[in-house]
Amino acid sequence: MSHDFLQMHLKAVISCLLIFLYKVHTTKAGQFFSSGHTNNWAVLVCTSRFWFNYRHVANTLSVYRSVKRLGIPDSHIVLMLADDMACNYRNPKPATVFSHKNMELNVYGDDVEVDYRGYEVTVENFLRVLTGRLPPSTPRSKRLLSDDRSNILIYLTGHGGNGFLKFQDSEEISNMELADAFEQMWQKRRYNELLFIIDTCQGASMYERFYSPNLMALASSQVGEDSLSHQPDLAIGVHLMDKYTFYLLEFLEEVHPASQANMNDLFKVCPQSQCVSTPGHRTDLFQRDPGSVLITDFFGSVRKVEITKDTINLTSPVEPPIQRSGSGDIQIESLTYVDQLPVAEIIHQKPKQKDWHPPDGFILGLWTLILLVFFQTYGIKHLKHIF
Amino acid sequence: FDSRLPLVNRSDGTKNGETFAPAKDQFQEELVIRPLHSGDIYASFQFRTLWDTDFLQEGQKKVSHYRLFPKSLGQVLSKFSVQELHISFTQGFWRTMQWGQPFIPSPPGAELWVWFHDTVSDVDGNWKELTNVLSGIFCASLNFIDMTNTVQPSASFKPLGLGNATDHRFLRYATLPREIVCTENLTPWKKLLPCGSKAGLAVLMKSEKLFHSSFHSQAVHIRPICQDEQCTSKAWELRQTLNVVFDHYTSGQGKKEWSLFKMFSRTLTEACPLASSSKVYVDITDNPELFELSPATPLLSQAVVLGDRRTYSVYDLTRAETFGQLRSFNLLLRWKGDNMLRPLLHAERYVAGFGLQTGEIHTVIYNNHPYRAFPVLLMDSVPWYLQLYIHTLTVTSKSRDNKPSYIHYQPAKDRHRPHLLEMLIQLPPHSMTEVTVQFERALLKWTEYTPDPNHGFYVGSSVVSALVPSMVAMSTNFTQDQPLFSSFVPVKEESSYFVRVYTEPLLVNLPTPDFSMPYNVICLTCTVVAVGYGSFYNLLTRTFQVDEPSPPLAKRLANFIRRIRGVPLLA
């Protein structure tokens, strides 16, 4: 009796376990396809100029490095750096930007492509990149060519205040402008989901005004608080990173392309004990639960791979027809190089008449016509006073 | 790498009786190392891709198969009908007096000059689009090149390649002296090479060492050249050059001892498999007995370059024995003597004057040849906000007036076009020629100032082009075996060589307004209005009324009792 009961109990337990495992498996698989995006883009902006704002460039480059490492290619990253720190004459180690003191980690690296640099980083260019309204001759690497199934990561850093972010010490972008730009992007179906991270003083004020759906925002400090920098390096002479991005970089270094870390872990990065300021986040506009959103949905890149074992036959190559004609009949003249400094030719060069002057007779004829019309209208008797 | 690609000397038959066209492109790479007398060392890389095809021929099938030639540049050439393209990015200034003449000169910042094909109808439109496309390819802000800094030289910058199109309507020249060069420009440049930075000489290009130098210049030169000796058809040549001068104090620890590992933190392990020739040349002309070079090589070559016959040790990287037992090639140079190269032509430029209103630009050109005079063509392109007074232009040599035989001047149009001044000056032997012109600084509109206006505004380098008499006869034959560094400029006559010298760029301060003033003015005006208007209003409308103070408590009580009694009240 007890043996049967035990067996039944065991069977029930095993079946329960199997059902549970099956459910977990389907949720995992379901999770893989539930995010709904097919490509990833990143727009990383550093808005500060001058050598003492080295840390903002280091912030942006560390996010660039993580994003590249997790799979987003350079063609899908728009990197905007307002000033050049790596090859700045004050940099004691040229072509490097460090994020840790004692020069442990060079976030600049050997393979970096900056799309907007120096004076090109302006509010207008930033908004044009977001909304896609760029002049037709803009090259592809400077455009955000996202569609309605793109997940976009936007990272801004610099000096900011309550409701604005300063660009290059000469202009600002307000939180209302940013919210409107995102609304334009939503209306034009330029994103599927958007993650907005900002590391400035009073950063939370920048996401207060968002009103478009599918936006998630993170900031390094609340309104009324300052974001602080992490540590200076005595050899370089400036602060290397901001606290929030430093701990964000440490967190992202643990993430690999197959990692299952989700947004709730990201919200816990840099609590007040480490950051001194209180990081904030906003998820009310986001439709999915943040716990089900993977970090790699925004920081990594989706690659849907289909493995096949079929063989494919390639066609034989098409060779272009040999165009060199026989040199028998046609007399080909030999070409020559141009003289680099033909002194005699230059001295006798006539200057070109570029501006078109009307011929002199034309002016005379015009005035004659005007005079004739005048006298015709007002009477011929005035004519004798002229002639 | 692909074994299916056709090779030139294939002895076996091909499959199915098909005949493949022979490979029409080839790639050569070389590195020239020249020790300089100050202890520094000059390394010049040149990568050349030759391709027998014609992008611009109409009626032919459009080029679609790219093998060694990079596709991004090929498409740019055919789309914009470019005949010649020269673009360079430079950090630092070439010190002619200390280092001699470079193989490929370049001004600080970015320089772009392009000859368009004579079938182009809208040159300005093509130029604008070309600069935008190139800014995307090279990750540089070349899109700042527009009509305000583009000039059309009338006599300088003749084409370096084949062609009879010398109508200068098709030439455009622009420089951006403020442009910085960093790893983000080197990365796409390296990607244009057939082997990338994985094999061959390009493995030496590590940005941490290359940018820690006194001078760094990378350039791309595209031009049509003769395919063979008879010169009946054209081939396209793409040359990518990288010149770098390492300072022996900052990177050499002060010793006149260099090795490839010390310069580049790498050694060479193999030649690029796609290269038909891969060589390293070391200049050992001066003081060979005081010069120590290892590993030794019996291969020597003499080349006439820049008017001088020099001897080079050649290391051929396509031969396996160059790499020795360790399969790695590291060059060691040690020298004790001085080899002073005195350049024959040298130019300087500076701004004179004081204050923020007027100034004077002085360009000084030195002719160090003891007995020969030669003409130079000076080209100056000054931005519109320095308003030149051309009536104050003076050219003096040996304190006497020297009248130029050709002057071309195009005045500037505000916010539209810069000044262009081209002069052909005959330099007397062993003399100093000074060109001075006065200017006035303009006040820009508020929005035209850069975010850091107190840094100053840059004026691009002047270009001095000259045919300098040569001490050694130059060879005018065109041979494919000539080393690349001596075959860049086509030689027309034996007694002189063509050289281009760039001066320093100028940094001038324009009168800068105080950008905090609008806020201060608003505060001040509002205060004045409030105080002034407020007082005036009060004066006109305020009336005074007498108001008695309330009596003390005892009096109030007394009055209250008196009122009850019906007795008159107290005062």
Side-chain angles (χ1 to χ4, degrees):
Chain A
M1 201 56 182
S2 62
H3 184 66
D4 281 333
F5 176 71
L6 208 64
Q7 240 185 5
M8 227 169 57
H9 193 72
L10 205 63
K11 277 206 188 116
V13 163
I14 289 169
S15 55
C16 273
L17 206 65
L18 283 171
I19 292 168
F20 174 71
L21 283 173
Y22 176 69
K23 261 219 170 90
V24 163
H25 177 73
T26 44
T27 46
K28 258 216 173 112
Q31 210 174 53
F32 184 71
F33 292 110
S34 72
S35 55
H37 70 284
T38 57
N39 55 77
N40 285 78
W41 287 81
V43 178
L44 311 172
V45 184
C46 160
T47 59
S48 311
R49 172 166 277 277
F50 305 121
W51 173 245
F52 49 82
N53 290 321
Y54 181 105
R55 58 189 188 279
H56 296 140
V57 172
N59 288 352
T60 318
L61 285 172
S62 33
V63 177
Y64 173 75
R65 178 204 143 77
S66 310
V67 149
K68 259 181 93 154
R69 197 176 49 84
L70 291 172
I72 304 187
D74 269 317
S75 52
H76 281 225
I77 303 179
V78 177
L79 179 62
M80 301 170 85
L81 297 180
D83 201 0
D84 165 56
M85 300 303 166
C87 290
N88 197 317
Y89 292 113
R90 288 162 110 165
N91 193 347
K93 293 211 118 209
T96 57
V97 175
F98 292 107
S99 61
H100 287 61
K101 77 167 179 210
N102 301 327
M103 302 183 191
E104 282 164 21
L105 180 61
N106 174 16
V107 288
Y108 195 58
D110 215 17
D111 183 13
V112 56
E113 288 183 16
V114 181
D115 302 303
Y116 287 84
R117 59 183 201 165
Y119 297 131
E120 288 177 289
V121 178
T122 56
V123 175
E124 184 190 338
N125 279 352
F126 175 59
L127 292 177
R128 280 188 187 277
V129 163
L130 286 184
T131 53
R133 292 153 75 158
L134 289 158
S137 52
T138 318
R140 277 184 79 107
S141 57
K142 287 182 160 174
R143 288 182 189 256
L144 179 66
L145 297 165
S146 57
D147 51 29
D148 62 324
R149 303 288 293 281
S150 311
N151 272 12
I152 307 182
L153 165 73
I154 296 184
Y155 178 81
L156 292 175
T157 181
H159 289 290
N162 191 352
F164 67 92
L165 171 63
K166 194 166 70 154
F167 266 70
Q168 294 217 40
D169 215 25
S170 66
E171 48 180 4
E172 308 92 41
I173 185 172
S174 65
N175 49 6
M176 208 57 230
E177 278 178 350
L178 200 56
D180 287 340
F182 288 153
E183 176 64 15
Q184 264 199 54
M185 287 173 80
W186 175 252
Q187 302 249 349
K188 287 160 90 164
R189 301 283 177 265
R190 281 170 68 79
Y191 69 89
N192 175 35
E193 285 169 345
L194 200 139
L195 175 65
F196 175 77
I197 304 184
I198 183 160
D199 186 354
T200 63
C201 302
Q202 309 193 46
S205 61
M206 289 305 283
Y207 61 64
E208 278 174 354
R209 305 288 197 116
F210 290 170
Y211 55 94
S212 318
N214 285 354
L215 291 177
M216 192 181 330
L218 276 114
S220 60
S221 55
Q222 301 291 333
V223 176
E225 286 180 347
D226 287 338
S227 287
L228 301 174
S229 57
H230 187 63
Q231 41 172 225
D233 181 299
L234 296 173
I236 299 178
V238 284
H239 285 261
L240 294 182
M241 285 274 269
D242 279 334
K243 284 191 152 71
Y244 181 73
T245 313
F246 182 80
Y247 290 106
L248 181 69
L249 176 67
E250 268 192 12
F251 171 75
L252 287 174
E253 290 285 297
E254 310 287 317
V255 173
H256 55 87
S259 149
Q260 294 295 309
N262 57 35
M263 283 297 156
N264 284 333
D265 304 325
L266 194 62
F267 295 155
K268 292 198 206 98
V269 162
C270 208
Q272 199 178 7
S273 54
Q274 284 176 326
C275 250
V276 183
S277 58
T278 322
H281 54 91
R282 180 177 175 179
T283 51
D284 56 316
L285 293 165
F286 205 74
Q287 277 166 14
R288 288 191 289 151
D289 171 42
S292 67
V293 179
L294 299 176
I295 299 280
T296 50
D297 277 354
F298 290 101
F299 285 87
S301 188
V302 176
R303 291 270 185 268
K304 292 247 162 59
V305 176
E306 195 184 294
I307 301 176
T308 172
K309 291 208 167 80
D310 307 329
T311 50
I312 299 171
N313 289 322
L314 295 171
T315 55
S316 52
V318 177
E319 68 273 13
I322 300 170
Q323 283 136 16
R324 206 76 52 78
S325 55
S327 57
D329 12 352
I330 309 164
Q331 192 74 10
I332 307 168
E333 54 196 60
S334 69
L335 307 155
T336 51
Y337 289 104
V338 179
D339 207 355
Q340 288 298 305
L341 196 67
V343 178
E345 221 181 275
I346 290 172
I347 293 175
H348 295 112
Q349 207 170 320
K350 280 204 197 47
K352 284 173 284 292
Q353 193 89 7
K354 283 263 277 299
D355 300 336
W356 178 77
H357 297 287
D360 300 312
F362 177 73
I363 303 282
L364 268 177
L366 191 68
W367 278 110
T368 318
L369 189 68
I370 290 169
L371 283 172
L372 277 174
V373 168
F374 168 72
F375 287 118
Q376 199 165 18
T377 328
Y378 291 104
I380 206 82
K381 57 183 194 293
H382 297 285
L383 199 59
K384 65 171 192 289
H385 295 288
I386 311 293
F387 293 110
Chain B
F1 300 115
D2 192 353
S3 58
R4 284 193 302 120
L5 281 171
L7 297 168
V8 182
N9 40 359
R10 241 175 106 142
S11 48
D12 51 339
T14 55
K15 291 199 178 118
N16 303 330
E18 293 165 339
T19 43
F20 285 104
K24 289 156 111 194
D25 48 6
Q26 57 159 311
F27 175 66
Q28 298 163 322
E29 53 179 19
E30 79 175 24
L31 164 64
V32 182
I33 297 181
R34 183 165 100 192
L36 303 169
H37 87 280
S38 50
D40 306 333
I41 193 154
Y42 170 37
S44 171
F45 291 85
Q46 281 206 37
F47 301 93
R48 176 167 95 155
T49 308
L50 265 181
W51 197 13
D52 297 349
T53 186
D54 207 341
F55 291 112
L56 303 172
Q57 225 169 341
E58 286 151 31
Q60 303 282 353
K61 209 165 64 164
K62 270 210 162 358
V63 176
S64 57
H65 179 64
Y66 291 85
R67 190 173 149 248
L68 295 176
F69 201 93
K71 183 174 174 181
S72 47
L73 288 180
Q75 288 181 327
V76 161
L77 294 180
S78 51
K79 177 156 187 226
F80 298 111
S81 308
V82 170
Q83 173 102 347
E84 250 187 62
L85 181 102
H86 299 269
I87 182 167
S88 71
F89 296 96
T90 311
Q91 177 204 58
F93 179 66
W94 182 267
R95 305 203 176 112
T96 317
M97 287 307 277
Q98 289 166 308
W99 298 340
Q101 293 283 3
F103 294 123
I104 314 251
S106 52
E111 185 201 39
L112 172 67
W113 57 281
V114 176
W115 274 93
F116 288 95
H117 208 246
D118 46 14
T119 53
V120 172
S121 52
D122 178 21
V123 181
D124 287 330
N126 273 23
W127 170 252
K128 185 79 193 128
E129 286 192 30
L130 178 66
T131 51
N132 277 316
V133 167
L134 288 174
S135 86
I137 295 177
F138 291 106
C139 285
S141 21
L142 296 173
N143 46 321
F144 283 127
I145 294 178
D146 55 8
M147 284 298 117
T148 60
N149 49 19
T150 310
V151 289
Q152 211 179 300
S154 65
S156 312
F157 292 102
K158 294 251 184 267
L160 282 168
L162 285 177
N164 46 9
T166 48
D167 189 353
H168 281 258
R169 269 191 302 136
F170 298 103
L171 168 65
R172 292 288 185 272
Y173 174 86
T175 68
L176 290 174
R178 188 82 199 264
E179 195 65 20
I180 41 152
V181 193
C182 207
T183 313
E184 65 245 25
N185 304 112
L186 189 64
T187 308
W189 189 92
K190 283 197 283 191
K191 287 185 181 162
L192 295 174
L193 295 170
C195 283
S197 54
K198 310 260 186 319
L201 291 171
V203 296
L204 296 176
M205 294 182 186
K206 289 294 154 194
S207 55
E208 282 175 18
K209 284 291 190 173
L210 282 182
F211 290 104
H212 197 48
S213 55
S214 305
F215 179 82
H216 170 99
S217 170
Q218 62 198 54
V220 172
H221 300 276
I222 304 177
R223 59 179 178 162
I225 63 166
C226 294
Q227 222 170 60
D228 47 21
E229 294 264 354
Q230 288 83 34
C231 213
T232 45
S233 52
K234 292 191 203 178
W236 282 90
E237 179 196 73
L238 162 71
R239 273 197 202 223
Q240 289 180 254
T241 64
L242 195 134
N243 293 344
V244 61
V245 174
F246 291 105
D247 187 341
H248 79 300
Y249 286 115
T250 53
S251 20
Q253 287 99 46
K255 288 188 266 196
K256 283 188 183 181
E257 194 182 289
W258 290 98
S259 70
L260 280 185
F261 189 75
K262 203 175 188 182
M263 289 195 274
F264 302 108
S265 70
R266 288 282 185 287
T267 57
L268 291 167
T269 48
E270 56 167 345
C272 173
L274 296 170
S276 62
S277 109
S278 175
K279 295 198 164 98
V280 177
Y281 293 86
V282 182
D283 187 345
I284 56 166
T285 317
D286 298 296
N287 303 326
E289 58 274 359
L290 295 172
F291 200 99
E292 221 174 283
L293 177 62
S294 77
T297 174
L299 280 172
L300 290 176
S301 130
Q302 290 215 332
V304 181
V305 61
L306 296 169
D308 199 9
R309 180 173 298 276
R310 305 194 71 80
T311 317
Y312 294 88
S313 287
V314 185
Y315 297 88
D316 194 348
L317 297 175
T318 48
R319 303 200 342 214
E321 53 266 18
T322 322
F323 295 102
Q325 293 280 33
L326 299 163
R327 290 188 179 260
S328 109
F329 172 66
N330 189 11
L331 208 60
L332 269 150
L333 292 113
R334 203 177 291 127
W335 73 99
K336 302 147 202 127
D338 277 348
N339 48 348
M340 180 62 178
L341 287 163
R342 193 149 167 81
L344 291 174
L345 179 66
H346 170 53
E348 285 176 355
R349 196 178 184 209
Y350 55 91
V351 173
F354 58 91
L356 282 176
Q357 195 182 3
T358 53
E360 222 175 79
I361 298 181
H362 289 243
T363 312
V364 185
I365 311 174
Y366 296 91
N367 175 3
N368 292 325
H369 203 282
Y371 52 86
R372 289 281 299 271
F374 53 87
V376 299
L377 188 60
L378 170 69
M379 187 185 102
D380 248 322
S381 162
V382 179
W384 64 267
Y385 40 80
L386 293 191
Q387 294 153 344
L388 296 180
Y389 290 130
I390 285 293
H391 72 277
T392 58
L393 175 71
T394 60
V395 183
T396 47
S397 310
K398 292 181 168 171
S399 57
R400 264 182 311 163
D401 222 9
N402 182 353
K403 192 162 161 357
S405 25
Y406 170 77
I407 301 184
H408 172 76
Y409 174 62
Q410 194 182 50
K413 255 196 212 170
D414 274 3
R415 297 175 182 88
H416 207 264
R417 203 170 62 193
H419 297 273
L420 174 65
L421 178 62
E422 273 184 282
M423 294 192 292
L424 188 68
I425 309 170
Q426 186 81 5
L427 298 182
H430 205 72
S431 67
M432 176 186 97
T433 306
E434 193 164 340
V435 178
T436 59
V437 62
Q438 289 179 4
F439 65 87
E440 192 182 74
R441 297 168 215 235
L443 185 66
L444 299 179
K445 292 187 187 164
W446 179 30
T447 47
E448 287 173 347
Y449 285 97
T450 52
D452 52 352
N454 290 300
H455 181 92
F457 288 78
Y458 282 88
V459 178
S461 316
S462 301
V463 187
V464 177
S465 321
L467 275 173
V468 182
S470 157
M471 296 181 285
V472 175
M474 310 280 292
S475 70
T476 50
N477 308 340
F478 164 81
T479 44
Q480 285 273 12
D481 298 329
Q482 256 182 346
L484 296 175
F485 60 89
S486 60
S487 61
F488 184 60
V489 182
V491 179
K492 281 278 192 177
E493 43 170 356
E494 291 183 345
S495 56
S496 57
Y497 63 95
F498 178 73
V499 79
R500 205 171 262 147
V501 177
Y502 290 93
T503 62
E504 298 95 327
L506 302 174
L507 185 61
V508 288
N509 268 332
L510 290 184
T512 308
D514 184 353
F515 292 103
S516 62
M517 275 319 280
Y519 173 74
N520 295 344
V521 164
I522 291 171
C523 286
L524 198 68
T525 320
C526 290
T527 312
V528 165
V529 163
V531 169
Y533 174 71
S535 338
F536 202 62
Y537 178 79
N538 280 338
L539 214 62
L540 291 175
T541 56
R542 195 165 47 189
T543 56
F544 290 100
Q545 290 170 338
V546 180
D547 186 28
E548 288 191 359
S550 57
L553 187 64
K555 227 183 197 179
R556 265 192 284 163
L557 210 57
N559 278 341
F560 178 67
I561 296 167
R562 282 186 174 224
R563 216 179 289 138
I564 294 171
R565 283 172 56 194
V567 166
L569 302 169
L570 288 173

